[in-house]
Amino acid sequence: MNGAMRRDEQAVSAAVATVLLFGGVLSIIGLMMVSMMPVIEEMEGSVERHDMSAQMTLLASQTNSLSERGMPGDSTSAELIPVDGNLNWDSLRGGMWYSATWQEGQELRARGALDFDDEVEIRHAESPVEAVCITDLRQGVNRPYAYTLDNDLDSVLVSVLPGLAMPLGPVDLILSNDVDVIEERELRVDELTEIVLSSDEDLVLRSTHELTVLAFTGEAGATVMLPDDHQPVDDKGHAWAVPMPAGNHTVEILSKTANQVQIDIGDETSIGFALPDGTMRTGTSFVAPVNITDPSVVYITTSAPSRLLFVRNISADLGITPWPSSTGQYTGTTFTPPAQPGTLRLTNPGEEVVTATWTGSGISVQPGGMEHVSWPPENTQGAPVLIADGALMMLWSAEDNLSSTNSAVGHHIVPAHDTGALSGGEFVFIKTDATSEQLRVELVGYVTEWNTTGSTNASGSFLTDNRISTVALAQGNTSLQVIDGHPLRLTRAAGSHGVHQLPHDGEERCTTVGTQASGWLTTDLPWERMGGRSAVDVEQAWIRGAHPSSVEIEVIGGADLETHAVVGTVWAFHLSRLAYTFSSSVEGMEVAFSGGAVLTNHPEFRPYVIVPPSDRGGPGPRFAATVPSLHPTSDSISGGGALDLDIELVNRRSLASAPAFEIRRGWSEPYGTAIADHAAVGLDASEDWTIYPGRLDLLTDYVGWVPDPSYGTAEAVWHTNGEVIEFTLQLSMLDVTARGDLS
């Protein structure tokens, strides 16, 4: 047996070779799989990207259509079916802005308005920047408007502010103090409600919609009413809805040109006309009595841009109100005061003598001084125009015998001397008699320190939980200044009567700048800093108003002979992003929907625009845009799996409808540069741009978006070869509820 066994060397060698060959084949297959996996994953990622891109493109089409043409209550629905990734909302990384200039030959740029700190940068080199006024737009889900009601007031009348698209259902009102909810009410369009104030503490009125709030003290008073949709360049408008108490009142409508005025009270309509008489330096005035037995909302419309003066209980001859200049600011050189009998109080906030003239007469006002003028001048028709050779501030009083030896009776908001607006950092008072007067000092920011000098000595430090103080005004000259921190808003109380329109707490927070520079100017954002905070903290700050959800920034500077005019406006929006995240050959790929645009960073983090943001240009130098602002409701879900989206239009508001000289648009990165380049694709056919790249002044064969100041920027300018642009901007607020079975 042992002799029969033998070793076959060739068979062993063959077996070993076979095993080695098989191992080599497996190694080659493994290497091939390793090298092919990124390709396979990239192909899978490409499938996911194109599949979700198609779904979000349909979503963008539906959303843009609803935003531009829908009415509150209109809705649409969409279904998103992911392949393998997740759908999530991100409210902190999406945003964009528009800017417009209202003066020829001037430009305006902004940055840093959406980065959650307490600063914003402005670039405007053509004139000194006197001040920057910022308003919280309160856009988004559950971000109510808040109105602080002074405990010195007797009552307020409240109505819903009309707009492009009114809510179908009632507006919810909540009246509260610092601790408890006192009362809840519902208010419908065309209705008003009265709140009688008898508390010893200030109250806050919160609303799901912007309101018109008239504050009353006593039985008489006067105030300038802001239009329902005021022009950003001068605060004039065509329509007012004024909640009026019962009584005999008057309204006066002033304009530069012929004007048709329609007044609707209940079912009664009256129409009147104000015609120019051809006299130089004279506008038109239309005075109408309003006699009502019950509190009512009085609707007034005009054919020409106008201002409106409301005088309560005209027979009392009481009431005083600051009167704006032709620019809409309270510091200016050209005024068209009311033509009904009264007195003008002219104050010179500058350091040189200012001479004011009108038809047939004039007067000089010393630096820091005050003069009274009986108005209107004798033997004049219409509304005479007062023109000064320097900056003045004006108060109009219904008392026609007011002199420098007595004070006008009435409660009114005091414009700031440094900003020319309803808030600021410096106020000057001239008290000519020993009657009792008080100043209510209110913080319109987050923190500040202030003091007074002159006849009255007082000081204070304000934080968010200690933001109001009362100062007794002494006879003589008093100056109140912010030493450090955010601006103040002041109300002056003289006597026991007055009327004024209350702004909401986040409206027109103005910070003085007083600088001209060719570079970027940094100014305060007078809200709490939220940088580095969690999404939950930021959402709560938006709801409370501790940080603005989106802002309107007015830049006040020099224009022609005016030192305080709105030279430009910036609108910056925090926009929620619906992002579909998936894996490709690398992590972090997404297809995102934000502001009506569909964007992706696939492949390999290369920003790409699938659907650009919607806008309308032409024919001619025209530009219109509607910004769809989607925000998920609290019961929306996210994650992997199919989602059903119910999208409802809550509100659509007009932000601007006026001739502009320059329009700019910026978008948050990482897609800002891609959007700017995508919008300017037509530049490839421009010979001027090919020969002179970056030279807008030499670009004559192209109308549309141009990346500015050069390629590689997230900012673009709407180029019209120097022609004035008919500019329209709207903001649509949409609530999104996402439902579905998530895996």
Side-chain angles (χ1 to χ4, degrees), residues 538-622:
V538 173
E539 289 282 355
Q540 289 299 315
W542 283 340
I543 293 172
R544 299 193 318 270
H547 195 84
S549 56
S550 290
V551 295
E552 177 184 88
I553 305 172
E554 292 182 323
V555 177
I556 300 173
D560 298 328
L561 299 178
E562 298 287 353
T563 58
H564 290 71
V566 180
V567 298
T569 308
V570 180
W571 299 269
F573 312 99
H574 285 286
L575 303 176
S576 296
R577 299 167 68 248
L578 177 60
Y580 173 68
T581 57
F582 60 95
S583 296
S584 178
S585 56
V586 293
E587 297 287 338
M589 298 292 99
E590 69 173 12
V591 178
F593 174 75
S594 176
V598 182
L599 314 158
T600 186
N601 61 354
H602 178 271
E604 297 178 3
F605 301 104
R606 179 183 178 183
Y608 182 78
V609 179
I610 300 170
V611 176
S614 176
D615 55 47
R616 304 284 185 267
R622 298 175 180 268

Side-chain angles (χ1 to χ4, degrees), residues 159-162 212 225-228 239-243 297-300 501:
S159 64
V160 179
L161 181 71
T212 299
M225 295 295 302
L226 272 179
D228 299 337
W240 294 259
V242 186
V297 180
V298 178
Y299 294 91
I300 302 168
Q501 186 175 0

Side-chain angles (χ1 to χ4, degrees), residues 148-154 197 201-203 440 491 502:
T148 298
L149 308 182
D150 182 1
N151 59 10
D152 289 336
L153 299 173
D154 293 338
L197 302 171
E201 59 183 348
D202 294 329
L203 302 180
R440 172 186 165 89
T491 304
L502 288 181

Side-chain angles (χ1 to χ4, degrees), residues 7-20:
R7 181 182 179 89
D8 191 338
E9 297 292 340
Q10 292 183 350
V12 171
S13 299
V16 172
T18 301
V19 172
L20 293 175

